[in-house]
Coordinates of all heavy atoms in Angstrom, one line a residue:
P21 N 41.3 -106.7 -136.2 CA 42.7 -106.2 -136.1 C 43.8 -107.2 -136.5 O 44.9 -106.9 -136.7 CB 42.9 -105.8 -134.6 CG 41.9 -106.6 -133.9 CD 40.7 -106.8 -134.8
R22 N 43.4 -108.5 -136.6 CA 44.4 -109.5 -137.1 C 44.2 -109.9 -138.5 O 44.9 -110.8 -139.0 CB 44.1 -110.8 -136.2 CG 44.4 -110.5 -134.8 CD 44.1 -111.8 -134.0 NE 44.1 -111.4 -132.5 CZ 45.0 -111.7 -131.7 NH1 46.1 -112.3 -132.0 NH2 44.9 -111.4 -130.4
D23 N 43.3 -109.2 -139.2 CA 43.2 -109.4 -140.7 C 44.5 -109.1 -141.4 O 45.1 -108.1 -141.2 CB 42.1 -108.5 -141.2 CG 41.9 -108.6 -142.7 OD1 41.8 -109.7 -143.2 OD2 41.8 -107.6 -143.4
I24 N 44.9 -110.0 -142.2 CA 46.2 -110.0 -142.8 C 46.3 -108.7 -143.7 O 47.4 -108.1 -143.7 CB 46.6 -111.3 -143.7 CG1 48.0 -111.2 -144.1 CG2 45.7 -111.4 -144.8 CD1 49.0 -111.6 -143.0
R25 N 45.3 -108.3 -144.4 CA 45.3 -107.1 -145.2 C 45.5 -105.9 -144.4 O 46.2 -104.9 -144.7 CB 44.0 -107.0 -146.1 CG 44.0 -108.1 -147.1 CD 42.7 -108.1 -147.8 NE 41.7 -108.5 -146.8 CZ 40.4 -108.7 -147.0 NH1 39.9 -108.6 -148.2 NH2 39.6 -109.0 -146.0
H26 N 44.8 -105.8 -143.2 CA 44.9 -104.7 -142.3 C 46.4 -104.6 -141.7 O 47.0 -103.5 -141.7 CB 43.9 -104.9 -141.1 CG 44.0 -103.7 -140.2 ND1 43.4 -102.5 -140.5 CD2 44.5 -103.6 -138.9 CE1 43.6 -101.7 -139.5 NE2 44.3 -102.3 -138.5
L27 N 46.9 -105.8 -141.4 CA 48.3 -105.8 -140.8 C 49.3 -105.3 -141.9 O 50.2 -104.6 -141.6 CB 48.6 -107.2 -140.4 CG 47.8 -107.7 -139.1 CD1 48.2 -109.2 -138.9 CD2 48.1 -106.8 -137.9
K28 N 49.1 -105.7 -143.2 CA 50.0 -105.2 -144.2 C 49.8 -103.7 -144.4 O 50.9 -103.1 -144.6 CB 49.6 -106.0 -145.6 CG 50.1 -107.4 -145.6 CD 49.7 -108.1 -146.9 CE 50.2 -109.5 -147.0 NZ 49.8 -110.1 -148.2
R29 N 48.6 -103.2 -144.3 CA 48.5 -101.8 -144.5 C 49.1 -101.0 -143.3 O 49.7 -100.0 -143.5 CB 47.0 -101.4 -144.5 CG 46.4 -101.8 -145.9 CD 44.9 -101.3 -146.0 NE 44.4 -101.5 -147.3 CZ 43.4 -102.4 -147.6 NH1 43.0 -103.2 -146.6 NH2 43.0 -102.5 -148.8
Q30 N 49.0 -101.6 -142.1 CA 49.7 -101.0 -141.0 C 51.2 -100.8 -141.2 O 51.8 -99.8 -141.0 CB 49.5 -101.8 -139.7 CG 48.1 -101.7 -139.1 CD 48.0 -102.6 -137.8 OE1 48.5 -103.7 -137.8 NE2 47.4 -102.1 -136.8
K31 N 51.8 -101.9 -141.8 CA 53.2 -101.9 -142.1 C 53.6 -100.8 -143.1 O 54.5 -100.1 -143.0 CB 53.7 -103.3 -142.5 CG 55.1 -103.4 -143.0 CD 56.1 -103.2 -141.8 CE 57.5 -103.5 -142.3 NZ 58.4 -102.4 -141.9
V32 N 52.7 -100.7 -144.1 CA 53.0 -99.7 -145.1 C 52.9 -98.3 -144.6 O 53.7 -97.4 -144.9 CB 52.0 -99.9 -146.4 CG1 52.1 -98.8 -147.3 CG2 52.2 -101.2 -147.1
V33 N 51.9 -98.0 -143.7 CA 51.7 -96.7 -143.1 C 53.0 -96.4 -142.3 O 53.5 -95.3 -142.3 CB 50.4 -96.6 -142.3 CG1 50.4 -95.4 -141.4 CG2 49.2 -96.6 -143.3
E34 N 53.4 -97.4 -141.5 CA 54.6 -97.2 -140.7 C 55.8 -96.9 -141.5 O 56.6 -96.0 -141.2 CB 54.8 -98.5 -139.8 CG 53.8 -98.6 -138.7 CD 53.9 -100.0 -138.0 OE1 54.9 -100.7 -138.3 OE2 53.0 -100.3 -137.2
D35 N 56.0 -97.6 -142.6 CA 57.1 -97.4 -143.5 C 57.1 -96.0 -144.1 O 58.1 -95.3 -144.2 CB 57.2 -98.4 -144.7 CG 57.7 -99.7 -144.2 OD1 58.2 -99.8 -143.1 OD2 57.7 -100.7 -145.1
L36 N 55.9 -95.6 -144.6 CA 55.7 -94.2 -145.2 C 56.0 -93.2 -144.2 O 56.6 -92.1 -144.5 CB 54.3 -94.1 -145.8 CG 54.0 -94.9 -147.0 CD1 52.6 -94.8 -147.4 CD2 54.9 -94.5 -148.2
F37 N 55.5 -93.3 -142.9 CA 55.7 -92.4 -141.9 C 57.2 -92.2 -141.6 O 57.7 -91.1 -141.5 CB 54.9 -92.8 -140.6 CG 55.2 -91.9 -139.4 CD1 54.5 -90.6 -139.4 CD2 56.0 -92.2 -138.4 CE1 54.8 -89.8 -138.3 CE2 56.2 -91.4 -137.3 CZ 55.6 -90.2 -137.3
K38 N 57.9 -93.4 -141.4 CA 59.3 -93.3 -141.2 C 60.1 -92.7 -142.3 O 61.1 -92.0 -142.0 CB 59.8 -94.8 -140.9 CG 59.3 -95.4 -139.6 CD 59.8 -96.8 -139.6 CE 59.2 -97.6 -138.5 NZ 59.5 -99.0 -138.5
S39 N 59.7 -92.9 -143.5 CA 60.4 -92.4 -144.6 C 60.3 -90.8 -144.7 O 61.1 -90.2 -145.3 CB 59.9 -93.0 -146.0 OG 58.7 -92.4 -146.3
A40 N 59.4 -90.3 -144.0 CA 59.2 -88.8 -144.0 C 60.4 -88.2 -143.1 O 60.6 -87.0 -143.3 CB 57.9 -88.4 -143.4
F41 N 61.0 -89.0 -142.3 CA 62.0 -88.5 -141.4 C 63.4 -88.9 -141.7 O 64.4 -88.2 -141.5 CB 61.7 -88.9 -140.0 CG 60.4 -88.3 -139.5 CD1 59.3 -89.0 -139.4 CD2 60.3 -86.9 -139.1 CE1 58.0 -88.5 -139.0 CE2 59.1 -86.4 -138.7 CZ 57.9 -87.2 -138.7
H42 N 63.6 -90.1 -142.3 CA 64.9 -90.6 -142.6 C 64.9 -91.7 -143.6 O 63.9 -92.3 -143.8 CB 65.7 -91.0 -141.4 CG 65.0 -92.0 -140.6 ND1 65.0 -93.4 -140.9 CD2 64.3 -91.9 -139.5 CE1 64.3 -94.0 -140.0 NE2 63.8 -93.2 -139.1
K43 N 66.0 -91.8 -144.4 CA 66.1 -92.8 -145.4 C 66.2 -94.2 -144.6 O 66.9 -94.3 -143.7 CB 67.3 -92.6 -146.3 CG 67.1 -91.5 -147.2 CD 68.2 -91.5 -148.3 CE 68.1 -90.3 -149.2 NZ 67.3 -90.7 -150.4
Q44 N 65.5 -95.1 -145.2 CA 65.6 -96.5 -144.7 C 65.1 -97.5 -145.7 O 64.6 -97.1 -146.7 CB 64.6 -96.6 -143.4 CG 63.2 -96.5 -143.8 CD 62.3 -96.8 -142.6 OE1 62.7 -96.6 -141.5 NE2 61.1 -97.2 -142.9
R45 N 65.3 -98.7 -145.5 CA 64.8 -99.8 -146.4 C 63.3 -99.9 -146.2 O 62.8 -100.0 -145.0 CB 65.5 -101.1 -146.0 CG 65.2 -102.1 -147.1 CD 66.0 -103.3 -146.8 NE 65.6 -104.3 -147.8 CZ 66.2 -105.4 -148.0 NH1 67.2 -105.8 -147.3 NH2 65.8 -106.3 -148.9
L46 N 62.6 -99.8 -147.3 CA 61.1 -99.9 -147.3 C 60.6 -101.2 -147.9 O 61.3 -101.8 -148.7 CB 60.5 -98.7 -148.1 CG 61.0 -97.3 -147.6 CD1 60.4 -96.3 -148.6 CD2 60.4 -97.0 -146.3
G47 N 59.4 -101.5 -147.5 CA 58.7 -102.7 -148.1 C 58.4 -102.4 -149.5 O 58.5 -101.2 -150.0
N48 N 58.0 -103.4 -150.3 CA 57.7 -103.2 -151.7 C 56.6 -102.2 -152.0 O 56.7 -101.4 -152.9 CB 57.3 -104.6 -152.3 CG 58.5 -105.5 -152.4 OD1 59.6 -105.1 -152.3 ND2 58.2 -106.8 -152.5
K49 N 55.5 -102.3 -151.2 CA 54.4 -101.4 -151.5 C 54.7 -100.0 -151.2 O 54.4 -99.1 -151.9 CB 53.2 -101.9 -150.7 CG 51.9 -101.2 -151.1 CD 50.7 -101.9 -150.6 CE 49.4 -101.4 -151.2 NZ 48.3 -102.2 -150.9
A50 N 55.4 -99.7 -150.0 CA 55.9 -98.4 -149.7 C 56.8 -97.8 -150.8 O 56.7 -96.7 -151.1 CB 56.5 -98.4 -148.3
S51 N 57.7 -98.6 -151.3 CA 58.6 -98.2 -152.3 C 57.8 -97.8 -153.6 O 58.1 -96.8 -154.3 CB 59.6 -99.3 -152.6 OG 60.4 -99.5 -151.6
E52 N 56.8 -98.6 -153.9 CA 55.9 -98.4 -155.0 C 55.2 -97.1 -154.9 O 55.0 -96.3 -155.8 CB 55.0 -99.6 -155.3 CG 54.3 -99.5 -156.6 CD 55.1 -99.7 -157.8 OE1 56.3 -100.3 -157.7 OE2 54.8 -99.2 -158.9
I53 N 54.7 -96.9 -153.7 CA 53.9 -95.6 -153.4 C 54.9 -94.4 -153.6 O 54.5 -93.4 -154.2 CB 53.3 -95.6 -152.0 CG1 52.2 -96.7 -152.0 CG2 52.9 -94.3 -151.6 CD1 51.7 -97.0 -150.6
L54 N 56.1 -94.5 -153.1 CA 57.0 -93.4 -153.3 C 57.4 -93.1 -154.7 O 57.7 -92.0 -155.0 CB 58.2 -93.6 -152.4 CG 58.0 -93.6 -150.9 CD1 59.3 -93.9 -150.1 CD2 57.4 -92.3 -150.4
K55 N 57.4 -94.2 -155.5 CA 57.6 -93.9 -157.0 C 56.5 -93.1 -157.6 O 56.8 -92.4 -158.6 CB 57.7 -95.3 -157.7 CG 59.0 -96.1 -157.4 CD 58.9 -97.4 -158.1 CE 60.1 -98.3 -157.7 NZ 60.0 -99.6 -158.3
H56 N 55.3 -93.2 -157.1 CA 54.2 -92.5 -157.6 C 53.8 -91.3 -156.8 O 52.7 -90.7 -156.9 CB 52.9 -93.4 -157.7 CG 53.1 -94.5 -158.7 ND1 53.6 -95.7 -158.4 CD2 52.8 -94.5 -160.0 CE1 53.6 -96.5 -159.4 NE2 53.2 -95.8 -160.5
L57 N 54.7 -90.8 -156.0 CA 54.4 -89.8 -155.0 C 53.9 -88.5 -155.6 O 52.9 -87.9 -155.0 CB 55.7 -89.4 -154.2 CG 55.4 -88.9 -152.8 CD1 54.6 -89.7 -152.0 CD2 56.7 -88.7 -152.1
E58 N 54.4 -88.0 -156.7 CA 54.0 -86.8 -157.3 C 52.5 -86.9 -157.7 O 51.7 -86.0 -157.4 CB 54.8 -86.5 -158.5 CG 54.6 -85.1 -159.1 CD 55.6 -84.8 -160.2 OE1 56.8 -85.1 -160.1 OE2 55.1 -84.1 -161.2
E59 N 52.2 -88.0 -158.4 CA 50.8 -88.2 -158.8 C 49.8 -88.3 -157.6 O 48.7 -87.7 -157.6 CB 50.7 -89.5 -159.7 CG 49.3 -89.8 -160.1 CD 49.3 -91.2 -160.9 OE1 50.3 -91.7 -161.2 OE2 48.2 -91.6 -161.2
I60 N 50.3 -89.1 -156.6 CA 49.4 -89.3 -155.4 C 49.2 -88.0 -154.7 O 48.1 -87.6 -154.3 CB 50.1 -90.3 -154.5 CG1 50.1 -91.7 -155.1 CG2 49.5 -90.3 -153.1 CD1 51.0 -92.7 -154.4
D61 N 50.3 -87.2 -154.5 CA 50.2 -85.9 -153.8 C 49.3 -84.9 -154.6 O 48.5 -84.1 -154.0 CB 51.5 -85.2 -153.6 CG 52.2 -86.0 -152.4 OD1 51.6 -86.8 -151.8 OD2 53.4 -85.7 -152.2
K62 N 49.2 -85.0 -155.9 CA 48.3 -84.2 -156.7 C 46.8 -84.5 -156.4 O 46.0 -83.6 -156.3 CB 48.6 -84.3 -158.2 CG 49.8 -83.6 -158.7 CD 50.0 -83.8 -160.2 CE 51.3 -83.2 -160.6 NZ 51.6 -83.4 -162.1
H63 N 46.6 -85.8 -156.3 CA 45.2 -86.2 -155.9 C 44.8 -85.7 -154.5 O 43.7 -85.3 -154.3 CB 45.1 -87.8 -155.9 CG 45.0 -88.4 -157.3 ND1 43.9 -88.3 -158.1 CD2 45.9 -89.1 -157.9 CE1 44.1 -88.9 -159.2 NE2 45.4 -89.5 -159.1
I64 N 45.8 -85.8 -153.6 CA 45.5 -85.3 -152.2 C 45.3 -83.8 -152.2 O 44.4 -83.3 -151.6 CB 46.7 -85.6 -151.3 CG1 46.8 -87.2 -151.1 CG2 46.6 -85.0 -149.9 CD1 48.0 -87.7 -150.4
Q65 N 46.1 -83.0 -153.0 CA 45.9 -81.6 -153.1 C 44.5 -81.3 -153.7 O 43.9 -80.3 -153.2 CB 47.0 -80.9 -153.9 CG 48.3 -80.7 -153.2 CD 48.1 -79.8 -152.0 OE1 48.5 -80.1 -150.9 NE2 47.5 -78.7 -152.1
K66 N 44.1 -82.1 -154.6 CA 42.8 -81.8 -155.3 C 41.7 -82.1 -154.3 O 40.7 -81.4 -154.3 CB 42.7 -82.7 -156.5 CG 41.6 -82.4 -157.4 CD 41.7 -83.3 -158.6 CE 40.6 -83.0 -159.6 NZ 40.6 -83.8 -160.8
A67 N 41.8 -83.1 -153.5 CA 40.8 -83.5 -152.5 C 40.8 -82.6 -151.3 O 39.7 -82.4 -150.7 CB 41.0 -85.0 -152.1
A68 N 41.9 -82.1 -150.9 CA 42.0 -81.2 -149.7 C 42.8 -79.9 -150.0 O 43.9 -79.7 -149.5 CB 42.6 -82.0 -148.6

């Protein structure tokens, strides 16, 4: 649980979760994910 990569992923998940409810300042990776949201969501729709 103290692995730096895991901790970074936790922060990104928290940022993405918060962004679903209100606008806020996001970390770099979360911002990058939101830029690709349409493409990412297409992959999710295809998988589920």
Side-chain angles (χ1 to χ4, degrees):
R22 296 177 195 256
D23 177 47
I24 191 76
R25 292 171 295 187
H26 182 75
L27 295 173
K28 286 181 181 179
R29 284 186 175 109
Q30 283 179 322
K31 176 67 174 130
V32 174
V33 168
E34 290 170 9
D35 282 352
L36 290 172
F37 177 77
K38 290 175 191 175
S39 74
F41 297 101
H42 53 82
K43 290 193 179 261
Q44 67 171 30
R45 187 172 179 175
L46 301 173
N48 291 340
K49 193 164 188 173
S51 295
E52 191 66 25
I53 290 169
L54 292 178
K55 287 179 189 174
H56 292 92
L57 204 55
E58 189 175 322
E59 179 183 352
I60 290 168
D61 285 354
K62 283 181 186 177
H63 285 289
I64 293 170
Q65 279 301 130
K66 193 173 181 180

